[in-house]
Amino acid sequence: SYAWAPRDDVIERSEPRSSARSWCLSMGGCSAPSAGLPLVSMMLASLAGCLLVTQNGINTTLRYTAFPNPFMTTALSFSVGVASVLSAAAVHKPNCFSDGTSLRQAPWYSFLGGPLGTCYVVAAVLLSLPLGFATFQLAATLGQLTSSLVCDTIGFLILPKRKPTAWRLFALAIMCCATIISIEGLSVEGEWWAVVLYLILSFGAGSIFPMQACVNGVMTQHVKTPLRASCVSFIGGASVMWIATAITSATPLADWPDEESAGPGPAGSEFWMYLGGTCGAFVVSAHVFGVPAIGAARFTVLFISSQLCTSLIFDGVGAFGYKAMPPSPRRLVGVILAICASAAYQLGPPPMRTWTSTLLRSGWPTRSTLDEIKDARMSRGTRKFQGGDEDADRNCKVDLAATAA
């Protein structure tokens, strides 16, 4: 349940850049990253990606151990998340009624962040086991990037309209290829269309994230902090899931196919199986405090890279007692391509200027460059140079320094 408004992305490409260093600064967003602890923020981004995949494994284990109904599993996860994120919001800014909070004036669609977030959690509970952690995360990441491109194009809610670039379309194509490459050794029973259906559902689950971020961004404008918006999101998601649990428990939909293979029930569950919501609350808090420090683009790249690496490791070791899928060369190539594609999508193309030319421009001018400026001045008739004119050399150096700056 992400509560930050999506950045996007980097400084507009039409703006000139003075050096490669400005491109590095622009990776953090439209403005330079604020002062903070970059190393800690990068660790938060990596840990948040790891915990998102861990949350999927915890919730899936809870379902197969105690509660076959995926809606009940999701409801429990969101309920624990409510308690966790409420605590974080209270510590962050406890005076919620003295800083202009106007929850009643929030539009109705700003309350949909939680219900949208439940779509991803339910999909992860149902699909992480048959597809494997890595393939599910790859398909979800592809959906996330595709949806963000569409949201930017149409100017969804709080986003300004931005035309899709060839670079982003190329990055999406690479991500799609990475997802296809990684499909092997799946635990899907049935025809090929079942794999395609699961991949489409995973793609749709990931596409929820950008829309949810925009919705929560609108809520943040009314409750003043992203953590408070997360509280509203978690409460809404938990409420919807408990209603869905009540409906499905009273109907034939309660006879889930996996109920016979379920574990011993709630009595056989362990404490850690209920910490999925806590993992989700940490992911939200990490974004709230990490993005301002290092910028949204770099944070997102680390976040996605950590997800993909963690999911590949979980598949390889058979985490949570599931079938182990050793990292074959194909899956390794798929994950590496996906990380490169996400970095390319978020950071954009590097400037065409090379580091060598940048150093030449920022360093002391060479004699040949001074001669070129002398010739240009003489052709304009602004000043007549003569050999050995020290004042002319000094003026040319000042002009070149101003041009390089």
Side-chain angles (χ1 to χ4, degrees), residues 92-106:
H92 182 228
K93 284 191 176 181
N95 299 323
C96 59
F97 298 105
S98 59
D99 54 359
T101 301
S102 55
L103 185 60
R104 293 183 179 180
Q105 300 177 6

Side-chain angles (χ1 to χ4, degrees), residues 2-300:
Y2 303 132
W4 72 97
R7 47 135 295 286
D8 224 331
D9 146 85
V10 292
I11 296 177
E12 291 290 342
R13 297 299 172 195
S14 59
E15 297 180 7
R17 293 173 179 174
S18 59
S19 67
R21 181 176 178 272
S22 67
W23 175 72
C24 295
L25 290 177
S26 71
M27 292 192 303
C30 295
S31 59
S34 60
L37 299 174
L39 180 60
V40 175
S41 299
M42 288 188 287
M43 293 174 62
L44 283 176
S46 301
L47 184 57
C50 177
L51 288 181
L52 181 65
V53 182
T54 303
Q55 180 190 26
N56 297 342
I58 290 175
N59 290 337
T60 305
T61 303
L62 181 63
R63 180 199 176 197
Y64 281 91
T65 301
F67 305 101
N69 189 333
F71 296 118
M72 178 175 289
T73 302
T74 305
L76 290 170
S77 178
F78 267 79
S79 299
V80 175
V82 168
S84 302
V85 91
L86 278 175
S87 302
V91 172
H92 182 228
K93 284 191 176 181
N95 299 323
C96 59
F97 298 105
S98 59
D99 54 359
T101 301
S102 55
L103 185 60
R104 293 183 179 180
Q105 300 177 6
W108 63 269
Y109 55 81
S110 64
F111 293 89
L112 297 179
L116 288 174
T118 60
C119 298
Y120 174 83
V121 179
V122 172
V125 169
L126 293 173
L127 302 177
S128 291
L129 181 58
L131 286 180
F133 291 103
T135 303
F136 174 79
Q137 290 299 145
L138 283 169
T141 302
L142 176 62
Q144 179 181 350
L145 298 183
T146 304
S147 178
S148 65
L149 183 67
V150 174
C151 290
D152 283 339
T153 304
I154 65 177
F156 185 67
L157 293 182
I158 59 178
L159 294 179
K161 288 186 178 181
R162 284 197 174 102
K163 295 181 179 179
T165 62
W167 182 265
R168 283 188 161 189
L169 294 175
F170 172 74
L172 287 179
I174 297 298
M175 179 65 76
C176 184
C177 294
T179 304
I180 296 175
I181 291 174
S182 68
I183 300 175
E184 66 171 355
L186 303 182
S187 301
V188 180
E189 298 180 359
E191 301 294 335
W192 61 268
W193 58 264
V195 178
V196 175
L197 177 62
Y198 288 174
L199 291 174
I200 293 175
L201 292 176
S202 302
F203 177 91
S207 66
I208 294 296
F209 283 151
M211 294 183 286
Q212 184 193 26
C214 293
V215 170
N216 287 340
V218 175
M219 178 59 70
T220 302
Q221 296 175 354
H222 294 273
V223 297
K224 305 306 179 184
T225 70
L227 282 177
R228 293 175 186 170
S230 299
C231 293
V232 178
S233 178
F234 269 90
I235 292 173
S239 302
V240 170
M241 284 296 96
W242 282 118
I243 293 174
T245 300
I247 294 175
T248 54
S249 297
T251 62
L253 291 176
D255 298 329
W256 297 97
D258 300 301
E259 189 161 5
E260 295 181 357
S261 59
S269 60
E270 300 179 17
F271 172 76
W272 61 268
M273 298 179 185
Y274 297 90
L275 297 181
T278 304
C279 295
F282 181 89
V283 171
V284 172
S285 302
H287 279 84
V288 170
F289 296 107
V291 169
I294 62 175
R298 282 183 286 181
F299 190 97
T300 304

